[in-house]
Amino acid sequence: NAGVTQTPKFRVLKTGQSMTLLCAQDMNHEYMYWYRQDPGMGLRLIHYSVGEGTTAKGEVPDGYNVSRLKKQNFLLGLESAAPSQTSVYFCASKPDRSLSTNMNTEAFFGQGTRLTVV
Amino acid sequence: LAKTTQPISMDSYEGQEVNITCSHNNIATNDYITWYQQFPSQGPRFIIQGYKTKVTNEVASLFIPADRKSSTLSLPRVSLSDTAVYYCLVGDHVYSSASKIIFGSGTRLSIRP
């Protein structure tokens, strides 16, 4: 059971380039989230999804797009990378409490993707 | 979403009990209180979750007073490995599919020998 896996772990982009970050979870969770974390700061929610085919904006959605074509995958895209998007990106997944017998609905996080835009 | 306020940093020593208090004056009826722990270069990890009174697991205890406007995470007999950032989250994300999981700035806990 791999949990939440993020690909790639590290990436350096030039300004203006595009890329896609992949998040995959094998826990059959309904909800998935993308966060960014800048040095010394807390996590900020970029986009999230409450189910296959659905996405919604978080706190800092500008400059990012997402897609959830399959339940187990949540993709984060940067169409034209900017230095301000240099950050560590975390993906998370969480079960729908109404579908789970677990009293807690904890979110499970990936190990992060360190992205540098030069 | 209820706003949370917690200390920016705390220091303690190995073997001590550490209590981190989080204020959430605007907590709503359906909101739960959840704490996460984050080590450097890792994603956050769930510690404990509660709605009211006291919750205890193998890692920590969570104390919630009757008015639920604050909560206290208690870590018994901390060790150096408890050095991390601790986040207090408040929201109805337990049952509501529409709710987001929003993190604040967290409390940076440093444990000394």
Side-chain angles (χ1 to χ4, degrees):
Chain A
N1 188 336
V4 178
T5 303
Q6 293 184 228
T7 308
K9 291 183 171 52
F10 303 92
R11 184 71 184 270
V12 178
L13 284 180
K14 293 182 179 179
T15 298
Q17 286 186 317
S18 64
M19 78 163 294
T20 300
L21 282 67
L22 171 63
C23 177
Q25 54 98 1
D26 60 4
M27 296 172 283
N28 200 35
H29 286 169
E30 287 70 32
Y31 308 156
M32 296 188 75
Y33 308 83
W34 273 109
Y35 295 87
R36 63 175 288 174
Q37 184 173 36
D38 299 326
M41 307 289 286
L43 285 79
R44 290 185 292 171
L45 181 63
I46 305 172
H47 286 280
Y48 66 106
S49 168
V50 299
E52 182 179 316
T54 72
T55 63
K57 294 181 179 179
E59 302 172 280
V60 289
D62 294 343
Y64 305 95
N65 57 76
V66 288
S67 64
R68 184 128 180 245
L69 300 179
K70 294 182 179 181
K71 185 178 183 179
Q72 63 268 33
N73 296 334
F74 195 27
L75 280 63
L76 178 70
L78 286 74
E79 293 186 348
S80 180
S84 61
Q85 294 178 304
T86 293
S87 189
V88 179
Y89 292 84
F90 288 102
C91 175
S93 72
K94 185 174 79 69
D96 182 340
R97 173 62 180 87
S98 65
L99 303 178
S100 171
T101 57
N102 186 352
M103 288 302 295
N104 292 321
T105 55
E106 60 183 284
F108 293 82
F109 284 79
Q111 287 301 299
T113 296
R114 187 172 298 275
L115 175 66
T116 302
V117 183
V118 297
Chain B
L1 294 171
K3 178 180 170 59
T4 61
T5 302
Q6 46 182 130
I8 295 175
S9 63
M10 294 181 65
D11 295 323
S12 188
Y13 294 91
E14 283 191 294
Q16 298 295 308
E17 178 184 78
V18 171
N19 296 310
I20 306 175
T21 297
C22 178
S23 297
H24 28 80
N25 292 319
N26 297 323
I27 190 168
T29 303
N30 293 332
D31 287 347
Y32 278 68
I33 301 156
T34 308
W35 286 80
Y36 284 84
Q37 174 192 57
Q38 186 181 26
F39 297 116
S41 301
Q42 294 187 24
R45 184 180 69 170
F46 173 89
I47 300 176
I48 199 166
Q49 184 176 81
Y51 183 79
K52 62 180 179 180
T53 62
K54 176 184 175 182
V55 180
T56 298
N57 61 22
E58 65 278 6
V59 176
S61 294
L62 179 60
F63 297 92
I64 305 169
D67 66 6
R68 305 202 323 124
K69 293 184 182 299
S70 66
S71 58
T72 299
L73 174 72
S74 180
L75 305 172
R77 297 184 60 80
V78 294
S79 64
L80 295 177
S81 63
D82 291 315
T83 293
V85 178
Y86 292 80
Y87 295 96
C88 167
L89 284 67
V90 174
D92 62 349
H93 48 268
V94 173
Y95 287 94
S96 171
S97 64
S99 188
K100 314 166 190 178
I101 301 179
I102 302 296
F103 284 77
S105 300
T107 296
R108 190 171 300 273
L109 176 65
S110 298
I111 306 300
R112 301 176 182 179

